[in-house]
Amino acid sequence: LKEQLEQLVGISMESQVLILLDLTDPERNHDVLLIGRDHESLRNCGIKNGSVLTLHALGLTAERKQKLTKDAINKKIPLVNTTTEKIYSLITPIGPKEADHSFNGVIFDVMCKGPFEVDVTSISIGGMLGRVRIFYRNRPWEAGKPERVSSHHWWAHRDSLSRENWSLLADIHCSPSWDRSFEIPFNRPVTLLPNSINAFYCHSSLPDDLGIQYQTYRKDDIIAEDDHISIHPGVGHTGSEPFDETNGWYRSYRGLSGIVNYKCRIKGWTITSHKLFPKVLKKSIIQMLLCNNYKFKVVIDNNEKDV
């Protein structure tokens, strides 16, 4: 606190005198002089939400105090926000400029590695874009898909995609961003649970094949990965309407050429989230809970004690 006050008002920590006021006492007999407590926490000093502190400076002239006050008002330096979460960006090695395909849509999977819980906040893509919609579902893109449709025509050779369980994350009109990534922010963050695989579908409504740039992959390729997530191939889509197989089709295997932006944290264990964890950890937790229901006797200095 004193370090932030020194930055804010220019009074050195050694010259600061802080008094914690008790405004409920009109006689002011319960005000606390905070001297010699520089290494204690705010809680131990009695400071809580709504507390009132006064700052006094030792050894400063009136002119110096007036100048420091004026400088502090001009600076208006905000206090450091220690709760801000770091934003991570997983960039695909092959970006929009190097991508070998472009059309209306690309569907791909994102796997969340344990023990992390990830909030995806946006996806960056390149292309002529236009109206861009991004969909999401909490399962792989292949889950529940209809049987593959065959055709004698090479241009109609296509894969398939289930329309179930998709939710809309973004729907915005974008300026062209050919060969460079353009960030599409979500209406709400999407939470990916540890060890889960989740599908994302980026779609452009342009009436041609320049909407979104993406790359060809093999089925088992890993497009990109870091310590928290990995991106896996899916399919490309031709058609100016999402999920339309009448005027368009799906081709595998295609993948994102862009960026996935997210926040992450370690997933803590709770009773309601028990099923999300690996089998070995779940067995260990059950054993610990069972042990908590038993009493053991140990011998310490020839005396038995219950534990």
Side-chain angles (χ1 to χ4, degrees):
L1 176 61
K2 282 193 170 184
E3 290 177 354
Q4 293 181 336
L5 288 173
E6 182 176 358
Q7 183 185 18
L8 183 64
V9 299
I11 300 175
S12 66
M13 294 174 57
E14 297 77 17
S15 301
Q16 293 178 23
V17 176
L18 292 174
I19 298 177
L20 177 60
L21 304 184
D22 183 3
L23 300 181
T24 62
D25 178 14
E27 302 296 328
R28 307 295 295 277
N29 293 321
H30 294 88
D31 293 355
V32 179
L33 181 62
L34 302 178
I35 290 182
R37 307 176 73 170
D38 292 349
H39 301 290
E40 292 187 29
S41 66
L42 299 180
R43 184 189 298 273
N44 291 339
C45 292
I47 300 174
K48 57 185 179 180
N49 187 28
S51 294
V52 178
L53 290 169
T54 59
L55 172 63
H56 307 267
L58 294 177
L60 296 182
T61 63
E63 292 78 13
R64 175 64 174 161
K65 291 180 182 178
Q66 186 177 8
K67 184 179 185 304
L68 288 173
T69 302
K70 184 178 180 180
D71 291 343
I73 293 174
N74 291 334
K75 287 181 181 178
K76 294 184 179 179
I77 302 175
L79 295 180
V80 176
N81 184 1
T82 58
T83 62
T84 301
E85 294 184 80
K86 179 179 178 180
I87 300 291
Y88 296 86
S89 296
L90 179 54
I91 304 173
T92 62
I94 299 177
K97 188 174 182 179
E98 297 81 26
D100 61 4
H101 275 77
S102 66
F103 231 115
N104 291 98
V106 59
I107 299 98
F108 57 93
D109 286 338
V110 175
M111 178 180 179
C112 181
K113 302 179 180 181
F116 299 102
E117 185 176 64
V118 165
D119 290 334
V120 181
T121 58
S122 65
I123 290 177
S124 302
I125 52 177
M128 298 306 290
L129 302 181
R131 182 187 180 187
V132 173
R133 281 170 280 187
I134 297 182
F135 302 86
Y136 152 85
R137 69 173 185 167
N138 61 350
R139 62 200 69 186
W141 72 267
E142 288 188 294
K145 71 175 185 176
E147 292 185 5
R148 186 168 181 164
V149 180
S150 61
S151 172
H152 298 293
H153 303 286
W154 68 269
W155 53 266
H157 170 73
R158 61 187 188 270
D159 213 303
S160 55
L161 182 72
S162 171
R163 296 189 178 204
E164 296 180 355
N165 305 114
W166 293 92
S167 57
L168 182 65
L169 299 178
D171 184 355
I172 63 174
H173 291 267
C174 307
S175 300
S177 185
W178 191 257
D179 282 352
R180 62 185 187 277
S181 294
F182 182 88
E183 185 176 8
I184 312 294
F186 295 168
N187 297 328
R188 56 178 176 81
V190 171
T191 300
L192 312 185
L193 297 174
N195 304 304
S196 66
I197 300 176
N198 309 265
F200 290 86
Y201 179 4
C202 303
H203 183 271
S204 165
S205 295
L206 291 183
D208 52 37
D209 61 355
L210 301 177
I212 296 175
Q213 295 168 283
Y214 52 87
Q215 178 65 22
T216 303
Y217 290 97
R218 291 170 297 188
K219 181 178 181 179
D220 297 326
D221 285 344
I222 297 177
I223 299 173
E225 67 176 331
D226 58 16
D227 293 336
H228 312 124
I229 63 173
S230 57
I231 305 173
H232 301 262
V235 291
H237 181 225
T238 68
S240 57
E241 286 297 325
F243 306 102
D244 180 18
E245 294 187 66
T246 303
N247 300 301
W249 59 91
Y250 299 101
R251 291 295 300 267
S252 57
Y253 290 94
R254 309 289 190 256
L256 174 71
S257 294
I259 307 170
V260 175
N261 303 295
Y262 66 93
K263 302 175 183 178
C264 86
R265 57 194 169 274
I266 294 178
K267 175 67 176 176
W269 181 88
T270 64
I271 293 177
T272 56
S273 64
H274 179 74
K275 64 181 181 180
L276 302 176
F277 289 83
K279 186 179 294 185
V280 174
L281 179 59
K282 289 191 287 188
K283 287 184 177 180
S284 301
I285 291 171
I286 291 173
Q287 291 300 319
M288 292 178 64
L289 293 175
L290 289 174
C291 291
N292 191 48
N293 292 327
Y294 288 91
K295 288 187 176 181
F296 301 90
K297 290 185 180 294
V298 296
V299 178
I300 302 176
D301 296 333
N302 296 323
N303 294 319
E304 287 189 351
K305 292 187 178 182
D306 290 333
V307 176

